Amino acid sequence: MLDFFRNHQRLMMLMLVLVIVPGLGVLGIQGFRGFFDESANVASVNGHKITRAEFDSAMRQQLDQARQFLGAQFDSKALDTPARRRDLLDNLIQQHALADEAQREYLTASDAAVRRALLADPVISSLRKPDGSIDVDRYKQLLAMQGMTPEQYDERVRYGLAVDQIPQSIEESAFTPKALADRISQLAEAQRTVQALVLHASDYASKVQPTDAQLSAYYAAHSADFATPATATIDYLVLSPAALATGVTPSDSDAKKYYDDNIAHYTTPREVRVSQILIASPKSASPADDAKAKAKADAVLAEVKAHPDQFAQIAQKESQDPGSAAKGGDLGWSTSGTLTGEKAFDTAAMALNKDEVSSVVHSSFGYHVIKVTDVKPAVTKPFDEVKASILKDLATELATKAYSDDSDGFTSTVYEQAKSLKPAADKYKLTIQTATVTTKPNPALPPASPLNNPKFLTAVFADDSVKSHNNTQAIDVGNSTLIAAHVTDYKSAATPPLASIKDAVRAKYVAEQADELARKDGEAKLAALQKSKSTAGFAAEQKVSRMDTQGVSPLALSAIFKADDSKLPAYVGVDLGNDGYAIYRVNAVVPPAPIDSARLAAAQRQLAQVDAQTQLEAYVESLRKRSKVKLYGSLDASQSDSQ
């Protein structure tokens, strides 16, 4: 079929024009593509699509956060794995299911909550001017770059806060009784004194002397284990921003312009350390009480001006703010001016210089006398210090744009010039690479390697590639990466004759038989020891607990703590598989020390967090089951549609 398309391109183009052009007037190009192509989406939840663009954006955000956290140790290949991508998709599905539930429950967030969330955003905080106010024009520019207005962003934040109410309510309601926390802590800290006797499988290998007849029988029964898979030697091209980065080089002037346009990103805003004296007068106060509070505040201000070096002592005596009075009124450092959420207070505080005292400031809490006790001026990093990172970011941005511009053309060239990758390599200045692949991902490669992508491997081993010797299509493997291949050599799957792999067959047979001998010998020794109660052959005693395993395997630790502590010494045996067989002599039980109130409270909090997480996962899972979830299989070939 593909050969027909390639050999009759003019005819096919005419047919496509006749069919497609009338439809574009109704659907638009993107709409028409989406009508047929579900590859633009990765999943849907209750009919709401999770688009490939949304998924890729979330993946980039995850990687950016990891890059900031890990710094020089960041490795995108180690983090962008099929398992992580499937976890991310699960998270997006959960978010959409939670969003639908929040909508059904009519959940929302107040204007005040939205304002607090916005001001707590570090990106928005970085837009602070020296006077503490937000650079509104720069804020609008940043949002415009993302295709949003401030009003739209406000609603996005409100939406997020509303959805968060569901998991927050579950987490806040979790509770662990003291008795349960105490019991679990005792179980975790309880110790048992044990001795180990390990029968290593390797010690039994010399006892296994297989005959040719035994090896032949073993080979016949396990021939599939020794089969060599089908292999393909390929030329391949990878189109990605990284592959195109060498062709884009931003200039120093580009970097300087970016620096000037984004100077706020390189400026540490002014910080002030603020102290206050509060004379409380809530909104519910009567006019007479409010007047008394105002007069009291005026008197306090007069006292502070008379004794400016005694502000802390006056605050301890007069301030009615329980959080700061004991600390001499100290509210700590602020870079944003959002000390209280009260505009009058924050504006007054940010306007003060070191050791200056404000006039009486009125807020919804009452009347404040404010003092700035220290100041850290705004500091802007010089251009030369950040030039290298700006050039790197600009190169990445240009390469990403080049990828966006070239991806369609690359796809067409690979398809139309089907007998070689050289035309595409020359056109897009890419290097043709070679590799040998099998139908299964190669564990020696990073999991995120394009060569391990299931869709790509399926295309490589398709008849059109192997028999017709055509290029594969340009396969989208995610993370803004396309890969295309041309098979230069193919070898079908085969089972080699016993004579050529006899040593490998022998090694596998000996290993399995040695494991079995160690297990049988171990079980026999265990039975004898349970009768004799001997200590012969055991290693020195050691104390183990569930929290401090001393290198004991989880399987063995489970057996040790299941031993009947009323009949000590007790003996337990554990099959360690390829490592042999282990016998443990349990000599004594060491009860844990009494748990003090602080440790018990910490254990309660930790267990409550675990319980909250478990409840939340169960809730989300039940919510997902109630939702109509469909996977389009665009992350890897193993996904299938489900309803």
Side-chain angles (χ1 to χ4, degrees):
M1 181 64 74
L2 291 176
D3 282 337
F4 178 82
F5 288 161
R6 291 192 176 97
N7 297 330
H8 301 82
Q9 289 185 27
R10 291 183 178 274
L11 175 60
M12 296 308 301
M13 289 299 296
L14 177 60
M15 292 176 63
L16 288 171
V17 168
L18 292 175
V19 173
I20 291 175
V21 170
L24 295 181
V26 178
L27 296 172
I29 293 175
Q30 295 299 325
F32 189 83
R33 288 177 61 190
F35 186 81
F36 289 102
D37 184 12
E38 287 292 7
S39 66
N41 306 307
V42 293
S44 67
V45 182
N46 297 326
H48 302 301
K49 300 292 175 64
I50 300 176
T51 65
R52 163 67 67 175
E54 178 185 353
F55 177 85
D56 286 345
S57 175
M59 193 70 208
R60 282 194 299 272
Q61 184 177 0
Q62 262 195 9
L63 292 175
D64 287 343
Q65 290 172 347
R67 183 183 291 107
Q68 293 174 7
F69 180 76
L70 296 174
Q73 297 179 339
F74 173 76
D75 181 0
S76 62
K77 291 182 179 179
L79 295 173
D80 186 7
T81 64
R84 287 180 67 90
R85 296 176 76 82
R86 286 192 290 274
D87 287 344
L88 176 60
L89 178 59
D90 283 340
N91 288 336
L92 290 174
I93 290 171
Q94 291 173 7
Q95 290 174 20
H96 279 258
L98 282 170
D100 284 351
E101 187 71 2
Q103 188 174 10
R104 283 192 291 270
E105 297 293 335
Y106 302 102
L107 299 179
T108 187
S110 66
D111 291 341
V114 172
R115 180 175 179 274
R116 286 194 298 271
L118 289 172
L119 293 176
D121 189 321
V123 175
I124 297 176
S125 294
S126 71
L127 302 179
R128 288 280 177 187
K129 297 178 180 178
D131 64 359
S133 63
I134 293 288
D135 186 339
V136 177
D137 292 337
R138 181 62 188 141
Y139 175 58
K140 290 180 178 179
Q141 289 174 5
L142 285 176
L143 292 179
M145 291 170 64
Q146 301 178 51
M148 285 188 293
T149 65
E151 292 76 17
Q152 289 172 328
Y153 187 61
D154 284 357
E155 288 309 305
R156 174 180 286 191
V157 172
R158 190 187 310 277
Y159 177 78
L161 292 173
V163 173
D164 285 345
Q165 291 178 41
I166 295 176
Q168 285 175 357
S169 63
I170 294 174
E171 291 170 0
E172 291 170 359
S173 64
F175 173 75
T176 300
K178 283 186 178 180
L180 177 60
D182 183 59
R183 179 58 179 155
I184 292 177
S185 297
Q186 288 184 9
L187 289 173
E189 296 182 10
Q191 295 178 310
R192 293 200 170 189
T193 303
V194 300
Q195 293 173 273
L197 190 162
V198 180
L199 306 177
H200 298 285
S202 57
D203 294 337
Y204 292 82
S206 61
K207 298 180 180 180
V208 183
Q209 300 294 331
T211 64
D212 288 345
Q214 287 174 321
L215 291 179
S216 295
Y218 181 81
Y219 172 77
H222 300 84
S223 58
D225 295 344
F226 302 99
T228 58
T231 61
T233 301
I234 60 171
D235 292 339
Y236 68 97
L237 291 176
V238 174
L239 184 79
S240 66
L244 297 171
T246 55
V248 292
T249 307
S251 65
D252 288 357
S253 60
D254 292 331
K256 185 62 167 66
K257 183 178 185 304
Y258 183 89
Y259 174 81
D260 293 336
D261 291 344
N262 298 273
I263 195 69
H265 288 299
Y266 308 104
T267 301
T268 301
R270 178 176 181 264
E271 275 189 275
V272 295
R273 186 162 191 167
V274 177
S275 293
Q276 71 151 349
I277 300 172
L278 170 66
I279 306 302
S281 179
K283 290 181 179 180
S284 58
S286 66
D289 289 340
D290 186 68
K292 288 180 182 178
K294 175 64 166 61
K296 175 67 173 176
D298 289 336
V300 168
L301 176 61
E303 185 179 359
V304 167
K305 288 185 174 180
H307 306 283
D309 59 332
Q310 297 182 19
F311 187 94
Q313 292 88 334
I314 298 171
Q316 289 175 339
K317 180 178 67 173
E318 302 290 356
S319 181
Q320 296 171 357
D321 175 25
S324 65
K327 297 183 289 186
D330 183 38
L331 295 174
W333 290 94
S334 174
T335 60
S336 62
T338 56
L339 288 162
T340 64
E342 293 284 335
K343 183 176 180 180
F345 182 99
D346 297 336
T347 300
M350 296 303 293
L352 297 173
N353 294 316
K354 184 178 179 180
D355 294 330
E356 286 185 346
V357 178
S358 72
S359 57
V360 173
V361 177
H362 186 222
S363 77
S364 62
F365 298 108
Y367 295 93
H368 308 261
V369 177
I370 306 168
K371 180 180 180 180
V372 167
T373 59
D374 204 354
V375 174
K376 295 178 184 177
V379 177
T380 300
K381 293 181 180 179
F383 172 68
D384 288 342
E385 184 179 330
V386 296
K387 174 183 169 182
S389 65
I390 292 176
L391 287 171
K392 182 179 179 181
D393 290 343
L394 288 177
T396 300
E397 184 177 320
L398 291 172
T400 301
K401 183 179 184 303
Y403 171 82
S404 178
D405 294 341
D406 293 346
S407 56
D408 286 345
F410 175 79
T411 300
S412 298
T413 303
V414 166
Y415 175 76
E416 293 168 0
Q417 305 289 325
K419 296 303 180 181
S420 173
L421 293 175
K422 192 173 185 305
D426 292 343
K427 183 174 182 179
Y428 297 102
K429 297 179 174 59
L430 300 172
T431 301
I432 296 178
Q433 304 177 69
T434 61
T436 299
V437 297
T438 69
T439 56
K440 302 292 184 182
N442 182 357
L445 293 174
S449 169
L451 296 176
N452 274 350
N453 182 271
K455 289 199 307 184
F456 171 70
L457 294 176
T458 298
V460 166
F461 287 93
D463 286 348
D464 191 53
S465 305
V466 172
K467 295 181 179 179
S468 301
H469 303 292
N470 291 318
N471 297 336
T472 68
Q473 297 178 13
I475 306 297
D476 183 351
V477 296
N479 199 27
S480 300
T481 301
L482 294 172
I483 182 172
H486 188 90
V487 177
T488 59
D489 188 38
Y490 170 77
K491 291 183 174 61
S492 59
T495 301
L498 173 60
S500 66
I501 57 168
K502 191 170 184 178
D503 289 343
V505 174
R506 179 189 298 276
K508 189 173 176 63
Y509 177 86
V510 168
E512 289 187 8
Q513 292 301 311
D515 292 343
E516 181 65 14
L517 289 175
R519 183 186 64 79
K520 289 182 177 178
D521 195 12
E523 290 176 346
K525 285 183 181 294
L526 175 63
L529 287 167
Q530 286 172 336
K531 294 178 180 178
S532 68
K533 306 299 181 182
S534 172
T535 60
F538 283 92
E541 280 190 341
Q542 60 179 345
K543 291 180 180 178
V544 298
S545 71
R546 293 179 176 88
M547 295 179 63
D548 184 7
T549 65
Q550 295 290 319
V552 176
S553 71
L555 191 63
L557 196 71
S558 176
I560 289 169
F561 278 91
K562 286 180 180 177
D564 187 351
D565 58 11
S566 66
K567 300 177 181 179
L568 298 180
Y571 295 82
V572 295
V574 183
D575 186 353
L576 301 177
N578 293 336
D579 293 327
Y581 193 89
I583 300 172
Y584 288 91
R585 188 178 196 269
V586 183
N587 296 328
V589 174
V590 183
I595 300 175
D596 59 43
S597 58
R599 289 169 59 211
L600 182 58
Q604 274 188 281
R605 289 192 298 269
Q606 291 174 355
L607 290 170
Q609 291 172 358
V610 172
D611 182 46
Q613 186 62 31
T614 302
Q615 291 187 38
L616 178 58
E617 289 174 358
Y619 175 82
V620 171
E621 182 61 27
S622 68
L623 189 60
R624 178 167 177 165
K625 289 180 179 178
R626 298 200 306 269
S627 303
K628 294 182 179 179
V629 178
K630 185 175 183 181
L631 305 178
Y632 294 111
S634 50
L635 292 184
D636 59 57
S638 66
Q639 287 180 331
S640 60
D641 290 358
S642 63
Q643 193 75 25

